[in-house]
């Protein structure tokens, strides 16, 4: 698949500079930028600050806070100089994105305190597109970015937003800058980088809608899979994620995760939730491995880690897994991960109220 990358950052910055350069001779400090509180000048400098800060965190592998420095403009810098600063900061972010190894993550506060290279690219693009829109609105300039850039931002860091008929209006609506028919105005918003949960030998890496869509269509999702992967269960789970995203009901923290092996960075399987917790606090999990990774304890490790993560939350009271009667290896995985066979009453409820199919055994871990 084509992942979001440094070239996309460069395209976004080039579009920004091209849109704003015709007004470089105007006083940007005297004009408010759209709906934001900053002036057009302050907002333009904010674009540069964001790209530079993201580049520094990613290149410097910051883990607990932003790299401690502050950018300033030389006294007397005019708007043409400011646009040059934006270009330079964008180039630094693009280079940091394209040279970062696949598994590297660095600090960003929301929502899970880290982002990978794709997340930093998407955040830099989002800041550039949206604030160029704000400045252009304030200065009365025309501006509309390429639709594929807006779509990339949505599918990489706005997984909770139901897609609209066109990506740019949808992104403007999702960030409180526009309206969409049939949707309430947005007054508060945040983008969402993907969740990663480390285990001993693997990392559970949350799949974004863009990645899940590629897996559903038969691609590799931008991951380096061992032979035989991804297995059919992972592709099916990716399809469920895409359906939830398209319906606007996807909760990213209760999505699907690729299992990425620490020793070589290769994906060996998938694990994830069948949806968000129900009213009783039950949440169902499923898992599979490529054949070459089976029998080595990876599934047990991943299932135990994901269950521990879920049961530490206030909205989860029980993690459940359904296993076919004949699938003894999967039953053993569940048992080794701390699950036990459900009670007769729990299985009755699962059949009667939650649609559990006949021929399945219910395994549970309680909070």
């Amino acid at each position: 698949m084509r992942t979001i990358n440094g070239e996309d950052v460069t395209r976004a910055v080039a579009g920004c500079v091209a849109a704003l350069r015709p007004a470089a001779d105007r006083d940007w400090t005297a004009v408010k930028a759209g709906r934001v509180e900053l002036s057009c000048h302050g907002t333009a400098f904010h674009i540069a600050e964001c790209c530079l800060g993201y580049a520094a965190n990613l290149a410097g592998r910051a883990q607990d806070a932003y790299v401690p420095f502050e950018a300033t403009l030389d006294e007397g810098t005019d708007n043409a100089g400011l646009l040059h600063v934006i270009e330079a900061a964008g180039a630094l972010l693009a280079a940091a994105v394209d040279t970062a190894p696949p598994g590297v993550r660095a600090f960003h506060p929301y929502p899970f305190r880290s982002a990978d290279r794709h997340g930093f690219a998407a955040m830099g693009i989002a800041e550039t597109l949206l604030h160029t829109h704000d400045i252009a609105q304030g200065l009365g300039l025309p501006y509309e970015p390429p639709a594929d850039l807006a779509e990339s931002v949505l599918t990489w860091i706005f997984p909770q937003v139901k897609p609209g008929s066109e990506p740019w209006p949808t992104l403007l609506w999702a960030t409180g800058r526009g309206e969409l028919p049939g949707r309430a105005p947005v007054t508060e918003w945040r983008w969402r980088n993907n969740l990663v949960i480390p285990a001993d030998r693997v990392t559970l890496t949350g799949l974004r809608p863009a990645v899940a869509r590629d897996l559903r269509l038969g691609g590799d999702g931008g991951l380096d899979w061992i032979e035989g992967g991804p297995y059919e269960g992972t592709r099916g789970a990716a399809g469920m994620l895409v359906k939830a995203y398209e319906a606007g009901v996807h909760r990213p923290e209760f999505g699907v995760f690729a299992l990425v092996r620490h020793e070589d960075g290769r994906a060996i399987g998938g694990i994830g939730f069948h949806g968000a917790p129900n009213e009783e606090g039950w949440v169902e999990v499923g898992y599979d491995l490529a054949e070459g990774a089976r029998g080595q304890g990876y599934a047990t490790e991943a299932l135990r880690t994901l269950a521990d993560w879920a049961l530490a939350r206030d909205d989860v009271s029980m993690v459940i897994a359904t296993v076919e009667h004949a699938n003894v290896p999967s039953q053993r995985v569940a048992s080794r991960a701390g699950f036990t066979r459900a009670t007769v009453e729990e299985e009755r409820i699962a059949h009667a109220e939650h649609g559990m199919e006949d021929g399945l055994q219910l395994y549970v871990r309680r909070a």
Side-chain angles (χ1 to χ4, degrees), residues 19-361:
L20 301 183
R21 183 169 283 134
D25 60 343
R26 294 170 56 183
D27 182 2
W28 291 5
T29 63
V31 181
K32 183 172 174 290
R35 300 186 184 186
V36 301
E37 295 302 319
L38 295 173
S39 69
C40 289
H41 183 277
T43 304
F45 184 58
H46 178 69
I47 295 173
E49 285 183 307
C50 288
C51 289
L52 186 59
Y54 295 157
N57 269 27
L58 182 57
R61 311 293 192 259
Q63 295 301 306
D64 300 313
Y66 285 106
V67 175
F69 73 97
E70 183 176 355
T72 60
L73 293 175
D74 287 346
E75 186 175 351
T77 300
D78 59 11
N79 292 332
L82 176 52
L83 292 176
H84 193 189
V85 173
I86 291 174
E87 288 179 310
L92 290 171
L93 176 57
V97 167
D98 285 343
T99 57
V104 164
R105 297 185 73 86
F107 174 79
H108 187 274
Y110 190 83
F112 304 118
R113 299 188 66 78
S114 74
D116 61 9
R117 58 183 180 172
H118 305 302
F120 278 106
M123 291 188 294
I125 293 167
E127 296 280 7
T128 302
L129 301 188
L130 294 168
H131 288 311
T132 301
H133 163 82
D134 297 332
I135 299 166
Q137 192 174 56
L139 296 173
L141 298 171
Y143 174 71
E144 182 170 341
D148 67 304
L149 288 181
E151 183 176 17
S152 289
V153 169
L154 287 168
T155 56
W156 287 89
I157 57 172
F158 284 90
Q160 75 282 12
V161 173
K162 181 180 180 179
S165 58
E166 297 179 51
W168 178 234
T170 303
L171 182 58
L172 291 177
W173 168 82
T175 57
R177 290 171 167 84
E179 298 179 356
L180 281 184
R183 302 199 195 185
V186 172
T187 56
E188 295 183 3
W189 62 274
R190 290 276 192 176
W191 57 51
R192 299 180 68 88
N193 281 294
N194 65 328
L195 172 66
V196 295
I197 307 173
D200 290 337
R201 295 177 296 160
V202 295
T203 294
L204 284 62
T205 303
L207 301 186
R208 301 166 167 101
V211 172
R213 184 179 292 160
D214 186 68
L215 287 170
R216 182 191 64 174
L217 295 175
D220 59 14
L223 296 161
D224 181 16
W225 290 88
I226 65 169
E227 185 177 354
Y231 204 64
E232 59 186 23
T234 298
R235 294 199 188 278
M240 292 171 57
L241 188 158
V242 172
K243 287 182 179 179
Y245 169 65
E246 292 176 344
V249 297
H250 177 47
R251 287 183 59 183
E253 66 270 36
F254 289 105
V256 183
F257 301 80
L259 305 182
V260 180
R261 194 161 54 190
H262 294 166
E263 67 181 44
D264 57 7
R266 305 190 74 188
I268 61 172
I271 192 169
F273 300 98
H274 290 197
N278 63 18
E279 293 180 357
E280 293 88 5
W282 293 20
V283 64
E284 184 175 357
V285 295
Y287 47 91
D288 73 358
L289 293 176
E291 291 186 11
R294 295 175 186 173
Q296 302 171 56
Y298 289 120
T300 299
E301 178 182 322
L303 180 58
R304 182 186 300 116
T305 298
L306 190 62
D308 289 345
W309 177 88
L311 291 170
R313 296 174 57 94
D314 293 336
D315 54 353
V316 176
S317 63
M318 187 161 65
V319 180
I320 68 174
T322 56
V323 185
E324 295 177 352
H325 285 280
N327 192 346
V328 175
S330 188
Q331 295 168 20
R332 290 173 178 165
V333 167
S335 296
R336 288 194 294 266
F339 287 68
T340 59
R341 278 294 303 273
T343 65
V344 173
E345 177 62 12
E346 286 168 339
E347 286 204 339
R348 184 196 68 77
I349 293 173
H351 281 289
E353 300 181 16
H354 302 292
M356 189 176 85
E357 297 178 5
D358 293 334
L360 296 177
Q361 295 179 352

